[in-house]
Amino acid sequence: MTYTRAEFPIESHSAPFHEVDCQVKSNEAINDEYYLLILNAPPEILDCKPGQFFHLLCPSKDGRSPYLRRPMSIYGYFPDKGELHFLYKAVGEGTRTMAQLEAGERLNVLGPLGSGFTIRDEWQNLLIVARGVGLATLAPLAQEALRKGKNLTAICSARSPEMLMSVERFRALGANVLTVTDSEGTSGVDDLEGLIESRIAQSGVDVFYTCGSNRLLKLLQRLGAKHGIAGEIALEQQMACGIGMCQCCVRSLRRGGEIVYERVCKEGPVFDLQEAMEW
Amino acid sequence: MVDLAVKIGSVALKNPIMPASGTFTEDLAGVFDLDLLGAHVTKTITPEKRIGNPTPRVCEVQGSMLNSIGIPSKGVDHFVREIVPIYQKFSAPLIVSISGNTMDEFARICEKVSVPGVAAIEVNISCPNIEEDGKAFAMRPSTTLRVMKVLRGATDLPLWAKLTPNTGETPDVARAAESGGADALVVSNTLLSMAIDVKTRKPKLGNLMGGLSGPALKPISLRMAYQCAKSVNIPVIGCGGIETVEDVVEYLIAGASAVQVGTATFVNPTTMPRLIDDLRAWLFAEKFQSVNDLIGSVRDDEAADSVVFMEAAP
Ligand SMILES: Cc1cc2nc3c(=O)[nH]c(=O)nc-3n(C[C@H](O)[C@H](O)[C@H](O)COP(=O)(O)OP(=O)(O)OC[C@H]3O[C@@H](n4cnc5c(N)ncnc54)[C@H](O)[C@@H]3O)c2cc1C
Ligand SMILES: Cc1cc2nc3c(=O)[nH]c(=O)nc-3n(C[C@H](O)[C@H](O)[C@H](O)COP(=O)(O)O)c2cc1C
Ligand code: FES
């Protein structure tokens, strides 16, 4: 789904996204690298779609104050509980200051932003393939797919079994979860290809969903083309505004024999798998 | 009631706060009513389609940012057909930013955007001119004068010349723009800068270098706005690093009649409406009846002219 400018509801005063200060409910390390942040959020920002993201204004901590906002996928949105969840890896200045947020403190968020994944009615057998923090992006998709009564298989990949996150979350939702790890030597492209081919042979696959990695992109593009399976991928790019104004977040896509550029924050972050290009 | 209305030549603004080119689109209507703004300024467009620069196109530096977006453009025909009509729903005047690689190209696009619904044309003469080894028109008084004369001949609409900080001749460039027919000056665009990742030793921008914007730019563009206001009789619009009402007030005191807000909107999308409220409150608290009484009120009487127009730090 893409917006054309003319369709954008500019006369509407009921804004499709909001800038809000939320209170931190909890913010805890779930292993050596990843944190789970839970915010108390007002209902107007919890009307989210799987694959959308928020643009977070990182706090100033220890004299460090990251200037730009940081884009973060929605890991979970729960209108009934009034909660918004993010799963993130502390990699640099912004995410490290986020990791220091304590319960009761406030975090300014802008969102929900971007266009999310599509789940077509005719798709019954869905396959998620994700690694690391990519699982965060795909968790709400799993929830929505299962709510719609789809059959969902999730192949979760990580460096080692301890780094496998969200497996319980996917299982609890009723997904069929397969895990592969580098330390067990099961996450190579050939292994994955075998695993996916056997899913296709056993129960059929109507659509692939993935995010992030070049390796997975290439593999799924190849399998998708071979078997005529649709696919979507969530991409990342450096952002400034997050709402479509600055044009810094573009990615190149192959479309109709041409290379086109689209904004990850607006037309994305979810793109057609076959149109996506390696980077 | 405090009167916030200002005039930029023949263009009346209900308040002096407007967006900076390239940092604003109608997408911001998702966050607030765009008719709160004094004017709408669109992203620079070029005559032909262009794709812009390689990624990464932005990076963060301490408290500010660099960008090398370039000017991705869907071309002027698309702009006139698709974008101009969107803004007709608003009462705020529409200011269209244009640019060209050559004087000819510049004149051609200037004619093409002179359509009903456009209140003024902002001419981004801070962009590279391929006829002058890629030096921006606004780096030198001579090229500024020439391009402004050509542009003046191409339209009857008010022309706002957007200047660059990448020059050592600000007052002369400002006077050249005025003599060439500019109706106002926008001061200024971004400052050429660089950042390198020390681990990978790679420049942080795909284009290697880019423009500095945000709070770090403010003292530089404020100095330029002051020099320009002292050099010309046409209105000056301040731009660079504005985040708080004090920043706005500082530019107005220096002699700017209005201001543009860019990067701050990326950090807080509601910055502009907040600045309008804060400016009204500030003027009220300081007992001003009209924002016009503040403009150019800088107390610099003791400064000799030689200091006002200096081009190197003492
Ligand atoms: C749509 C989207 C969804 C994302 N979802 C998640 C998520 O759920 N969990 C998670 O851990 N990470 C996610 N990321 C990546 C996350 O935004 C970056 O890890 C984060 O911005 C790094 O900031 P930093 O200051 O810690 O790192 P630094 O390296 O210090 O950041 C420097 C600058 O580069 C930008 N940057 C660095 N890495 C990335 C990246 N991968 N993508 C975009 N910008 C980057 C930063 O925003 C910042 O402006 C997502 C990115 C995008 C675009
Ligand atoms: C992402 C980005 C894109 C920009 N694009 C343009 C442009 O197309 N034309 C232009 O005249 N200025 C452009 N500018 C410069 C701004 O209009 C403004 O002059 C500058 O950013 C300084 O103001 P600020 O510090 O408030 O951002 C751009 C700035 C940024 C940050
Ligand atoms: S981040 Fe500004 S357009 Fe996407």
Side-chain angles (χ1 to χ4, degrees):
Chain A
M1 224 205 52
T2 54
Y3 279 118
T4 64
R5 281 165 185 269
E7 275 167 20
F8 193 79
I10 52 167
E11 54 281 278
S12 113
H13 292 269
S14 60
F17 49 86
H18 307 263
E19 182 202 339
V20 190
D21 266 332
C22 292
Q23 194 188 43
V24 176
K25 183 166 190 188
S26 64
N27 183 34
E28 271 152 28
I30 57 166
N31 59 33
D32 288 351
E33 289 178 346
Y34 293 93
Y35 293 78
L36 174 64
L37 170 65
I38 301 181
L39 302 178
N40 289 318
E44 69 266 22
I45 65 168
L46 293 174
D47 186 10
C48 306
K49 290 190 189 65
Q52 284 191 305
F53 71 98
F54 275 81
H55 216 20
L56 311 182
L57 191 57
C58 297
S60 294
K61 293 270 178 185
D62 301 340
R64 292 184 304 192
S65 37
Y67 184 64
L68 297 170
R69 286 176 183 263
R70 300 296 194 262
M72 211 53 79
S73 301
I74 301 164
Y75 180 52
Y77 54 100
F78 304 94
D80 46 333
K81 292 190 280 181
E83 285 181 10
L84 183 60
H85 295 197
F86 298 99
L87 180 71
Y88 64 97
K89 185 171 175 179
V91 291
E93 184 158 58
T95 44
R96 269 189 243 120
T97 62
M98 268 176 68
Q100 293 176 45
L101 274 172
E102 286 174 26
E105 291 189 303
R106 304 196 80 82
L107 179 70
N108 184 280
V109 307
L110 175 69
L113 301 171
S115 53
F117 293 101
T118 37
I119 305 176
R120 290 223 195 112
D121 290 346
E122 64 267 31
W123 293 339
Q124 265 315 313
N125 297 306
L126 283 47
L127 178 65
I128 284 177
V129 188
R131 184 172 166 93
V133 88
L135 293 163
T137 309
L138 294 161
L141 172 71
Q143 183 162 351
E144 183 64 11
L146 294 158
R147 195 184 63 77
K148 291 191 164 178
K150 307 289 183 184
N151 303 320
L152 179 71
T153 302
I155 302 180
C156 302
S157 165
R159 268 210 322 271
S160 60
E162 309 78 69
M163 288 294 165
L164 275 168
M165 290 166 304
S166 318
V167 168
E168 291 320 313
R169 174 96 194 270
F170 281 100
R171 283 215 174 98
L173 289 167
N176 170 26
V177 181
L178 309 170
T179 61
V180 297
T181 63
D182 303 353
S183 65
E184 299 164 308
T186 50
S187 61
V189 170
D190 293 343
D191 300 304
L192 274 175
E193 181 160 359
L195 207 54
I196 297 168
E197 285 282 15
S198 74
R199 290 306 305 170
I200 298 171
Q202 277 167 30
S203 50
V205 171
D206 297 317
V207 58
F208 295 133
Y209 299 102
T210 187
C211 50
S213 123
N214 260 324
R215 229 171 39 131
L216 289 180
L217 169 65
K218 278 201 301 196
L219 172 63
L220 293 177
Q221 277 182 333
R222 189 153 49 75
L223 292 174
K226 180 174 162 196
H227 298 283
I229 296 171
E232 290 191 323
I233 182 167
L235 295 176
E236 296 186 355
Q237 185 59 282
Q238 239 90 344
M239 291 187 184
C241 73
I243 57 177
M245 302 192 298
C246 69
Q247 311 230 42
C248 77
C249 64
V250 296
R251 281 244 176 237
S252 52
L253 304 166
R254 243 181 256 109
R255 183 177 301 158
E258 260 190 328
I259 305 245
V260 300
Y261 294 82
E262 288 193 334
R263 296 164 295 186
V264 170
C265 74
K266 191 86 199 179
E267 289 83 26
V270 177
F271 294 97
D272 182 87
L273 184 71
Q274 296 297 345
E275 290 184 353
M277 292 173 72
E278 288 163 48
W279 56 92
Chain B
M1 260 312 273
V2 181
D3 182 12
L4 288 184
V6 296
K7 288 197 92 177
I8 304 298
S10 58
V11 184
L13 312 184
K14 71 178 165 208
N15 66 64
I17 309 288
M18 66 183 110
S21 175
T23 66
F24 170 79
T25 62
E26 64 280 9
D27 294 305
L28 202 54
V31 196
F32 64 87
D33 175 5
L34 298 187
D35 249 338
L36 293 172
L37 300 173
H40 297 153
V41 185
T42 51
K43 167 87 184 165
T44 302
I45 53 157
T46 52
E48 320 302 341
K49 264 194 177 183
R50 287 209 221 172
I51 59 168
N53 286 326
T55 55
R57 290 177 169 185
V58 282
C59 77
E60 198 174 73
V61 293
Q62 188 60 50
S64 287
M65 65 174 272
L66 311 186
N67 88 80
S68 60
I69 309 288
I71 307 196
S73 170
K74 291 188 175 158
V76 61
D77 297 328
H78 172 268
F79 182 82
V80 169
R81 200 177 55 238
E82 306 288 335
I83 307 297
V84 172
I86 293 178
Y87 288 92
Q88 301 318 303
K89 300 185 177 73
F90 301 105
S91 62
L94 175 63
I95 317 300
V96 169
S97 171
I98 59 166
S99 162
N101 284 324
T102 64
M103 303 229 185
D104 248 20
E105 236 184 72
F106 226 138
R108 190 149 46 88
I109 189 169
C110 191
E111 266 171 43
K112 285 201 166 174
V113 298
S114 299
V115 296
V118 176
I121 302 175
E122 184 173 291
V123 292
N124 180 3
I125 57 172
S126 331
C127 59
N129 168 5
I130 56 174
E131 291 162 327
E132 297 276 344
D133 300 331
K135 287 208 182 344
F137 294 100
M139 286 174 68
R140 297 173 178 148
S142 57
T143 42
T144 302
L145 179 65
R146 256 186 287 150
V147 74
M148 287 311 299
K149 279 187 168 162
V150 168
L151 292 167
R152 185 67 287 167
T155 186
D156 294 327
L157 286 175
L159 287 174
W160 298 3
K162 182 145 178 196
L163 304 191
T164 174
N166 302 309
T167 177
E169 303 178 77
T170 298
D172 299 315
V173 168
R175 281 187 284 258
E178 184 182 33
S179 345
D183 298 282
L185 303 178
V186 181
V187 187
S188 70
N189 215 309
T190 55
L191 184 64
L192 189 62
S193 303
M194 189 171 189
I196 298 173
D197 183 320
V198 295
K199 287 212 190 80
T200 61
R201 296 194 218 171
K202 280 193 191 154
K204 288 190 180 174
L205 293 175
N207 194 50
L208 311 186
M209 294 185 278
L212 173 70
S213 66
L217 182 64
K218 201 194 81 182
I220 298 163
S221 31
L222 180 78
R223 179 266 298 171
M224 290 179 62
Y226 171 68
Q227 290 182 312
C228 289
K230 291 279 169 189
S231 313
V232 298
N233 294 313
I234 50 177
V236 169
I237 297 162
C239 176
I242 293 173
E243 226 171 50
T244 66
V245 68
E246 285 77 16
D247 299 329
V248 175
V249 166
E250 215 178 333
Y251 273 99
L252 297 176
I253 292 173
S257 301
V259 295
Q260 295 186 344
V261 179
T263 307
T265 296
F266 298 165
V267 179
N268 281 304
T270 50
T271 299
M272 287 187 284
R274 184 172 46 75
L275 287 176
I276 296 166
D277 289 345
D278 290 355
L279 179 62
R280 191 178 290 113
W282 191 93
L283 290 166
F284 182 78
E286 297 290 323
K287 304 199 165 41
F288 282 90
Q289 312 234 299
S290 160
V291 65
N292 289 286
D293 301 334
L294 183 67
I295 294 170
S297 62
V298 58
R299 294 188 173 148
D300 59 351
D301 345 68
E302 269 120 80
D305 282 358
S306 58
V307 177
V308 172
F309 299 119
M310 71 189 180
E311 285 294 353

